[in-house]
Amino acid sequence: MTSQQTLTKEGEQAGTTGKPQSSDGLQAGLKNRHLSMIAIGGVIGAGLFVGSGSGIAAAGPAILLSYALVGALVVFVMRMLGEMAAANPTSGSFSAYADRALGRWAGFSIGWLYWFFWVVVLAVEATAGAKILEGWVPAVPQWGWALIVMVVLTATNLVSVSSYGEFEFWFAGIKVVAIGAFVIIGLLAVFGVLPGSDNAGAGFAHLTDAGGFMPHGAGAILTGVLMVVFSFMGSEIVTLAAGESEDPQRAVTKATNSVIWRIGVFYLGSIFVVLTLLPWNDKSIVDKGSYVAALDSIGIAHAGEIMNVIVLTAVLSCLNSGLYTASRMAFSLGRRGDAPKAFARTNSRGVPQVAILGSVVFGFLAVFFNYKWPDTVFAFLLNASGAVALFVWLVICVTQLRMRGIIQREMPEKLVVRMWLFPYLTWLTIAMITFVLGYMVYDGGDARKQVLLSLLVAALVIAFAVGRQMFRPSVSAVTAESAVSADDVDADGAQSGVQDAVTRS
């Protein structure tokens, strides 16, 4: 059975705090500056700083083409998601759109898989941050730092959405300033005009002087794609956060239109600087990390310590956003009757505290598994969530094929962001993602394990969703919303939420 609901038209109402609330009870506490920085910082993960050295070693200068291919993929996916989110900003984002366009089983499945991905990420990032902090303050054990970091960021998310936005604004701001300064200083050194630089400034010579631009052949570009694709995960967070912003449509449109230069500067720009400052096969790139090696070649003192601060910031940013994202997806699933009703409740500040606490509990469990059984239980969780990013992008593409017609039919005036060359570029993107998944299986090793285990988990979730839909009475979105509205918003807000809700048959 497929969903037959109409698109939600988000309204706003005043909550008990006096601040605007969307019709789902969430507080519209994110300012435009928060959304802008979330959009910019969302594409800059710790993987860019930590994992880029391995990619350079595997593909040489051709890693730039790997980043360009994955960057183009992300640009296309974000354009499709932006088209749907600008027409209907909601905390469920692509999960809610899949529910509408493909059926309830699709929204349920991709929503829970995405939630699962982020609660595992919480454990990964908390552990990574704890390792850095333990190096600075060894008196506190690593597990203690992981606990402290998780508790602090949970508290900020529980206070209000504006607290999350403010923390993310500064976290993302540090990342943006750091990479921007790195690109500018690096380019000056590349051309030999940086005062006091220890680098000889070889211009573009290092791109070809160590075995050519493709020292390992053209096939290494695909190997590089597999190594860098997951560092781009997080760009879609802005569409979930838009539902809690002052002007959702404007925020989504701006974020979608700016994704090209963000990827161009932060990924391609910074990796280009590394490859022009040093030969790709310089051992320090792998030993120290690409950014530290580049800074050392210029003669920047304490480059390792500086980069540790930036990596820690990236880790905290990812942890902060991961908790926010997991909780909002759980909240959306609760509102649609696909998760416990308690997840859909908001407090007087418009915060879904049960969804936050539920997500962080699983995050804490994952951290425990990482310390207790890192090579068995946690390794399974990590591999089983490894390909979810690609599944999410694939679902976004397929959903957009259906949603374009729905938007044009029901609210054409809200089609303010359009996917280019529709539907041809959408189909091309689907083919690209499918090819990457297929190549991961063909490539073998950890990549194959990630795809197969992720497919197994996805199959189990889909089977549960289909079985649940077949054997349980359908829970209408109106019923789900009515159940939570009475406790959390005023009577007028509850009535508005019911009127704006989507209905199912």
Side-chain angles (χ1 to χ4, degrees):
M1 181 176 64
T2 57
S3 302
Q4 300 294 327
Q5 68 264 35
T6 56
L7 288 171
T8 304
K9 296 183 179 181
E10 300 286 351
E12 286 191 347
Q13 57 192 338
T16 58
T17 60
K19 295 182 179 180
Q21 284 184 308
S22 62
S23 59
D24 57 14
L26 293 174
Q27 185 186 101
L30 293 176
K31 302 181 184 300
N32 287 332
R33 66 181 178 88
H34 293 153
L35 263 294
S36 296
M37 201 57 77
I38 289 170
I40 294 171
V43 297
I44 310 172
L48 175 62
F49 301 104
V50 178
S52 55
S54 300
I56 292 171
I63 194 69
L64 287 170
L65 297 181
S66 303
Y67 274 105
L69 285 172
V70 179
L73 194 65
V74 173
V75 168
F76 297 155
V77 170
M78 279 299 295
R79 187 74 184 183
M80 287 180 258
L81 184 54
E83 176 181 297
M84 297 182 286
N88 182 30
T90 175
S91 59
S93 188
F94 50 85
S95 173
Y97 309 142
D99 190 304
R100 171 67 180 96
L102 306 178
R104 184 164 192 169
W105 67 270
F108 176 97
S109 301
I110 202 63
W112 277 114
L113 285 172
Y114 193 67
W115 178 87
F116 170 58
F117 172 85
W118 280 110
V119 293
V120 174
V121 166
L122 292 180
V124 174
E125 300 298 341
T127 303
K131 286 181 180 178
I132 296 174
L133 290 167
E134 186 188 31
W136 294 343
V137 187
V140 179
Q142 191 178 118
W143 67 265
W145 279 119
L147 180 65
I148 291 169
V149 167
M150 289 279 279
V151 168
V152 169
L153 292 181
T154 299
T156 63
N157 273 264
L158 285 171
V159 171
S160 67
V161 69
S162 59
S163 297
Y164 155 73
E166 201 63 35
F167 267 73
E168 191 56 27
F169 176 82
W170 291 106
F171 286 152
I174 292 172
K175 292 188 292 185
V176 169
V177 170
I179 294 184
F182 175 80
V183 171
I184 293 172
I185 293 172
L187 286 175
L188 290 175
V190 166
F191 294 108
V193 294
L194 181 68
S197 173
D198 293 341
N199 194 287
F204 301 145
H206 288 322
L207 293 176
T208 56
D209 64 4
F213 186 73
M214 298 184 186
H216 299 310
I221 297 172
L222 293 177
T223 303
V225 165
L226 302 188
M227 301 183 75
V228 306
V229 66
F230 300 107
S231 65
F232 283 83
M233 189 65 174
S235 55
E236 70 288 335
I237 291 174
V238 68
T239 63
L240 280 80
E244 295 178 78
S245 69
E246 299 169 337
D247 189 351
Q249 190 177 77
R250 178 176 178 271
V252 169
T253 302
K254 185 177 180 181
T256 303
N257 291 336
S258 65
V259 70
I260 297 175
W261 72 260
R262 286 185 276 134
I263 289 174
V265 171
F266 299 130
Y267 278 88
L268 290 173
S270 61
I271 299 300
F272 175 81
V273 166
V274 171
L275 290 167
T276 48
L277 283 174
L278 292 166
W280 69 269
N281 56 357
D282 191 302
K283 291 183 178 180
S284 65
I285 292 179
V286 175
D287 294 341
K288 298 179 180 179
S290 55
Y291 289 82
V292 174
L295 291 173
D296 278 344
S297 77
I298 297 173
I300 303 294
H302 309 294
E305 289 80 0
I306 293 171
M307 194 51 58
N308 271 340
V309 173
I310 296 169
V311 170
L312 178 63
T313 301
V315 165
L316 294 177
S317 172
C318 189
L319 192 59
N320 192 39
S321 290
L323 181 54
Y324 172 84
T325 305
S327 65
R328 269 31 177 206
M329 186 57 72
F331 170 80
S332 177
L333 288 166
R335 276 175 51 80
R336 286 178 274 147
D338 291 335
K341 292 180 181 179
F343 282 6
R345 294 195 179 101
T346 57
N347 61 20
S348 60
R349 298 185 300 277
V351 174
Q353 59 185 18
V354 177
I356 292 174
L357 292 173
S359 300
V360 83
V361 163
F362 280 92
F364 275 123
L365 278 175
V367 171
F368 172 75
F369 292 149
N370 192 17
Y371 286 104
K372 188 70 175 177
W373 302 291
D375 299 323
T376 53
V377 179
F378 187 72
F380 171 80
L381 294 177
L382 204 59
N383 287 317
S385 63
V388 168
L390 291 169
F391 294 168
V392 167
W393 294 347
L394 193 59
V395 168
I396 289 171
C397 296
V398 177
T399 300
Q400 191 261 341
L401 286 173
R402 296 286 302 276
M403 283 297 291
R404 167 63 75 91
I406 294 171
I407 297 171
Q408 286 180 323
R409 183 171 64 251
E410 296 180 2
M411 47 177 64
E413 73 282 359
K414 291 199 172 184
L415 195 59
V416 294
V417 176
R418 290 175 179 265
M419 178 58 185
W420 308 294
L421 299 177
F422 178 83
Y424 308 108
L425 205 49
T426 300
W427 280 112
L428 177 62
T429 307
I430 290 173
M432 290 169 64
I433 297 172
T434 305
F435 176 79
V436 171
L437 286 168
Y439 190 78
M440 288 176 72
V441 175
Y442 169 79
D443 193 57
D446 290 338
R448 176 183 293 172
K449 188 183 298 184
Q450 287 180 358
V451 172
L452 295 180
L453 284 177
S454 296
L455 282 172
L456 173 62
V457 171
L460 292 173
V461 174
I462 292 171
F464 180 81
V466 172
R468 179 176 179 272
Q469 187 169 321
M470 290 174 61
F471 297 111
R472 280 189 56 186
S474 180
V475 181
S476 72
V478 171
T479 303
E481 291 195 16
S482 298
V484 300
S485 298
D487 295 333
D488 307 305
V489 295
D490 58 26
D492 291 338
Q495 183 63 32
S496 173
V498 171
Q499 289 173 347
D500 287 339
V502 293
T503 57
R504 306 180 192 277
S505 63

